[in-house]
Amino acid sequence: MSDSTGAGVLPETRIQRDDRFPPGIPYIVGNEAAERFSFYGMRQILYVYLAGLFSGFVPEAQIPAEAKVHATQVIHLFIAGVYLFPLIGAILADRLLGKYRVIFWVSLVYVAGHAVLAVAARSASMGNLDFAKMAVYGGLLLISLGSGGIKPCVSANVGDQFTAKNGHLIERVFQIFYFTINFGAFFSTAAIPWVYKQYGPELAFGIPGVLMAVAAFIFWLGRRRFVRIPPQPGGSLGVQDFIASSLMAVPLLIGIHVLLEESDPIVNAATEHGIGAIFPAIGAAFAHYWLAGVAALASFVAGVVVAQLRQRRQEDAGFFAQLVYCLSHRGERAAGEDFWAPARRHFGAEAAEGPPAVLRICVVFSAVSVFWALYDQYSSTWVEQARGMDLVLNVPRALTFWWLVPAVLVSAVFGAVWLMCWVSNRPVSRKVTLVFCGAIVLWGIAAAIYQAMHGVIERVNMLPAQMGAANPLFIMLVIPILTFGVYEPLKRRGRPLKPLTRMTIGMFLASVAYVVVALLQARIDHVGHGVVHVLWQSIPYLLITTAEVLVSVTGLEFAYTQAPRAMKSTIMGFWLLGITFGNVLVAFLAPLQTLSLQTFFWTFAALMAIAAVVFSILAASYRGKTYLQEGEG
């Protein structure tokens, strides 16, 4: 960066470089690791538990289709909530309470949610299923509020800790974050289903709750070490921002509720009378819930009124503020002027660049919601498919008893300690690291010798939900492979793979993943349960994980660079909203499972293929602008 402000500003070369991590980073990393272990462990057993709960815990083979449909709907509504509430959490943190207070207090809400799930499991074991169902709904609501409150704050809180001296370490910290999330997800997804099977749902839900309590405690320990950026504007203005945003979000919640309450008749009308019957069925559903529609409209209008009252006190140049201003001043446009002309005159040309840029990105990303409908099913319908597969693994005894459990677990503990020492600026000595690695190698050699001498094969019974561990494992493998095996070589040859091209490939790849899943289900239906081996699911897992890296990681990077600085949080909010809509789509179409799981998978393969074609057309016509951190493009 050049000195463009005149005398008195030191050139970047004279800024003293600091290679130490800020003192708050270890507490943020520890909090995130424990929170993600908590979330993914709970989420991976949720479908199995809900299907049992809604069927009265009958034997697995006797669970009716309706219970499976209901379980699918609940888990995807829960995920939808996890990605919907960040829109409110971000306003609460940025404009009213500040990031630290929001993260800490919603972490306690999060812990309470896990506790309620454990209480629900205890109640169900005592035969009180009605109370257990209500408690499950309450627990999931609390967790979605907690996770949703934390999600928009964590990354921004990391960035707040850095200065110009150590800003070069930010990228490294986010790499640590991404690795930690998937590392924790791998172990929790593998371990918690086993705990569920061996010790029951009370402990299986309780352990994630304990981990979440640990996460909150770690974050509290760092309270005096964090750099805290005060909320803007704060005070009564911040209260008005929060109230307005919450009121305008209510219609979305009401609309989702109405669609799901009427999903059975709508989906049945489509399957019996064709796709054209959907629209009359939707109309009938909303006519039945006209009072809910009135409430939704009233809430939205109230939100707009509060937002306008806030604008009169102190003007804000956010996305919604500019949109309302242009609507209310549309009569001031001269001949030939576009919709945003009043905003350019009132807020300035630079500020008014934001809303059109956000809308351009949203139009292109509108088809990405379907991708999330496919991706998040590895915690629901893919678990159901795994239930009908051969779950027995024949593995060498040395692998299970000598290598897998002791070496992997000990290495994981050592790795966690090593990482925390590193980000605490007290790295473990190179000698200790080499000694540990040497011991692991010697242990492996001993295990190999033992296996060669005895040759004993062990039968290991996998659990259906444990296949979900393939997703974080493949993520840790796919990212470096794509980065160093595909992106970098193409870039060196002068043919870089553009972000929208990567995303297009990823969306088609997701469709292929569901073609494979549908073919596997067809094979299961043909030969019977327990014949097709569960490891065949590794193929669609690898495909959907590669698609996730191409779509999600690339999409976030693209959206961030294409949005002006003042609109970057807004576009992240719309991105999360797309994930919400994708999961609502799964919940809405869940009744199709009553026809067959194979039909369900083929439906999503077709929807994804159509969405990928639409996305490729929109991407080809996209004309955007890249905004650097300084706001220049």
Side-chain angles (χ1 to χ4, degrees):
M1 181 187 298
S2 61
D3 177 8
S4 59
T5 57
V9 178
L10 293 174
E12 185 176 297
T13 54
R14 294 183 60 183
I15 295 177
Q16 185 179 1
R17 182 185 176 103
D18 187 355
D19 289 326
R20 294 175 299 173
F21 291 99
I25 293 300
Y27 301 94
I28 297 176
V29 171
N31 169 269
E32 181 72 1
E35 187 269 330
R36 290 289 86 185
F37 184 102
S38 160
F39 178 81
Y40 284 107
M42 175 277 304
R43 167 175 152 166
Q44 203 58 26
I45 61 172
L46 193 56
Y47 176 81
V48 174
Y49 178 73
L50 290 176
L53 177 65
F54 296 145
S55 63
F57 294 102
V58 299
E60 187 176 297
Q62 299 176 19
I63 296 177
E66 291 76 12
K68 298 175 183 178
V69 168
H70 196 186
T72 300
Q73 289 179 319
V74 171
I75 190 171
H76 285 280
L77 278 182
F78 163 66
I79 298 172
V82 166
Y83 288 97
L84 175 62
F85 289 121
L87 299 176
I88 305 300
I91 297 292
L92 191 63
D94 291 343
R95 304 210 169 192
L96 183 58
L97 298 179
K99 302 179 190 71
Y100 172 81
R101 284 193 285 179
V102 168
I103 293 174
F104 178 71
W105 289 110
V106 299
S107 292
L108 299 184
V109 173
Y110 207 143
V111 174
H114 283 294
V116 172
L117 288 185
V119 169
R122 178 62 176 170
S123 177
S125 68
M126 297 172 65
N128 193 347
L129 298 184
D130 290 335
F131 176 80
K133 292 174 185 177
M134 296 303 298
V136 163
Y137 296 146
L140 293 179
L141 176 61
L142 290 174
I143 292 174
S144 62
L145 286 169
S147 180
I150 290 174
K151 193 174 292 294
C153 300
V154 172
S155 297
N157 192 41
V158 170
D160 290 347
Q161 308 307 307
F162 289 87
T163 65
K165 291 183 179 180
N166 54 15
H168 60 282
L169 298 174
I170 292 180
E171 182 179 358
R172 188 175 298 174
V173 168
F174 279 114
Q175 289 172 346
I176 293 171
F177 252 57
Y178 206 72
F179 178 82
T180 301
I181 289 170
N182 289 287
F183 187 75
F186 171 75
F187 281 100
S188 63
T189 304
I192 297 301
W194 179 83
V195 174
Y196 180 90
K197 179 70 174 180
Q198 296 295 322
Y199 301 103
E202 293 174 55
L203 190 60
F205 285 127
I207 291 175
V210 171
L211 264 294
M212 191 58 230
V214 170
F217 180 66
I218 291 173
F219 196 73
W220 178 81
L221 288 176
R223 65 194 183 281
R224 302 189 189 281
R225 296 178 179 270
F226 295 135
V227 173
R228 301 193 197 182
I229 305 298
Q232 296 292 334
S236 59
L237 287 173
V239 171
Q240 285 183 298
D241 286 335
F242 176 69
I243 292 174
S245 301
S246 301
L247 287 171
M248 286 187 280
V250 167
L252 184 60
L253 295 173
I254 293 176
I256 290 172
H257 170 73
V258 171
L259 278 176
L260 290 174
E261 284 292 311
E262 296 295 315
S263 61
D264 281 349
I266 293 172
V267 172
N268 291 338
T271 55
E272 292 175 9
H273 306 292
I275 197 72
I278 283 184
F279 300 104
I282 291 176
F286 278 93
H288 181 67
Y289 286 90
W290 66 268
L291 189 58
V294 171
L297 180 60
S299 178
F300 185 81
V301 171
V304 172
V305 169
V306 173
Q308 290 303 100
L309 291 175
R310 184 254 193 256
Q311 283 291 96
R312 291 179 182 178
R313 292 183 59 193
Q314 181 176 314
E315 197 167 56
D316 178 65
F319 175 83
F320 183 76
Q322 293 196 49
L323 178 63
V324 171
Y325 185 88
C326 289
L327 285 170
S328 59
H329 292 79
R330 60 188 182 278
E332 299 176 7
R333 297 200 305 265
E337 286 189 325
D338 64 7
F339 176 82
W340 301 103
R344 282 194 292 273
R345 284 192 290 270
H346 185 76
F347 295 98
E350 183 177 348
E353 280 188 1
V358 168
L359 289 179
R360 285 195 300 269
I361 297 170
C362 288
V363 168
V364 175
F365 281 0
S366 59
V368 180
S369 290
V370 181
F371 168 79
W372 295 111
L374 277 68
Y375 173 76
D376 282 319
Q377 287 187 56
Y378 79 84
S379 294
S380 57
T381 57
W382 288 28
V383 175
E384 181 60 34
Q385 182 182 73
R387 278 176 148 180
M389 304 179 84
D390 179 5
L391 295 164
V392 177
L393 294 177
N394 295 310
V395 296
R397 171 176 286 184
L399 180 64
T400 55
F401 293 99
W402 279 67
W403 177 254
L404 186 62
V405 176
V408 171
L409 291 182
V410 171
S411 297
V413 172
F414 179 81
V417 172
W418 188 96
L419 180 63
M420 292 304 295
C421 289
W422 183 43
V423 296
S424 301
N425 302 307
R426 298 175 181 176
V428 176
S429 69
R430 188 167 182 267
K431 182 178 179 179
V432 171
T433 303
L434 290 175
V435 169
F436 178 83
C437 293
I440 292 295
V441 171
L442 291 176
W443 185 272
I445 293 172
I449 293 173
Y450 175 89
Q451 185 63 35
M453 292 175 61
H454 296 85
V456 179
I457 300 297
E458 293 285 340
R459 287 171 57 88
V460 177
N461 293 311
M462 282 188 62
L463 300 172
Q466 287 180 312
M467 270 305 293
N471 175 254
L473 178 63
F474 283 147
I475 285 177
M476 290 186 285
L477 296 174
V478 167
I479 287 180
I481 291 173
L482 284 178
T483 300
F484 301 108
V486 180
Y487 299 159
E488 292 298 328
L490 288 175
K491 188 176 180 180
R492 286 195 297 268
R493 294 177 185 177
R495 301 178 61 185
L497 206 56
K498 296 180 180 180
L500 292 180
T501 304
R502 296 182 196 178
M503 295 181 69
T504 302
I505 295 170
M507 293 179 73
F508 279 110
L509 206 57
S511 180
V512 173
Y514 267 70
V515 169
V516 175
V517 171
L519 291 174
L520 285 175
Q521 190 62 43
R523 181 63 177 167
I524 294 169
D525 294 342
H526 179 69
V527 301
H529 283 204
V531 178
V532 180
H533 202 278
V534 73
L535 289 183
W536 281 105
Q537 274 196 335
S538 299
I539 298 174
Y541 266 107
L542 179 58
L543 291 171
I544 200 70
T545 300
T546 305
E548 178 198 2
V549 174
L550 289 166
V551 173
S552 179
V553 178
T554 305
L556 286 171
E557 174 190 345
F558 176 78
Y560 191 82
T561 59
Q562 292 294 297
R565 203 167 32 160
M567 294 289 165
K568 293 188 187 298
S569 296
T570 301
I571 199 61
M572 291 302 111
F574 280 117
W575 175 266
L576 295 176
L577 199 59
I579 303 177
T580 293
F581 289 147
N583 280 278
V584 170
L585 178 62
V586 180
F588 176 72
L589 293 178
L592 284 176
Q593 292 179 72
T594 57
L595 300 179
S596 74
L597 199 56
Q598 183 186 156
T599 301
F600 192 74
F601 290 143
W602 280 119
T603 299
F604 278 97
L607 286 174
M608 189 71 255
I610 295 170
V613 171
V614 171
F615 181 86
S616 63
I617 295 171
L618 293 172
S621 61
Y622 177 78
R623 297 294 180 269
K625 178 181 179 182
T626 299
Y627 293 85
L628 304 179
Q629 188 61 22
E630 292 79 16
E632 300 170 356

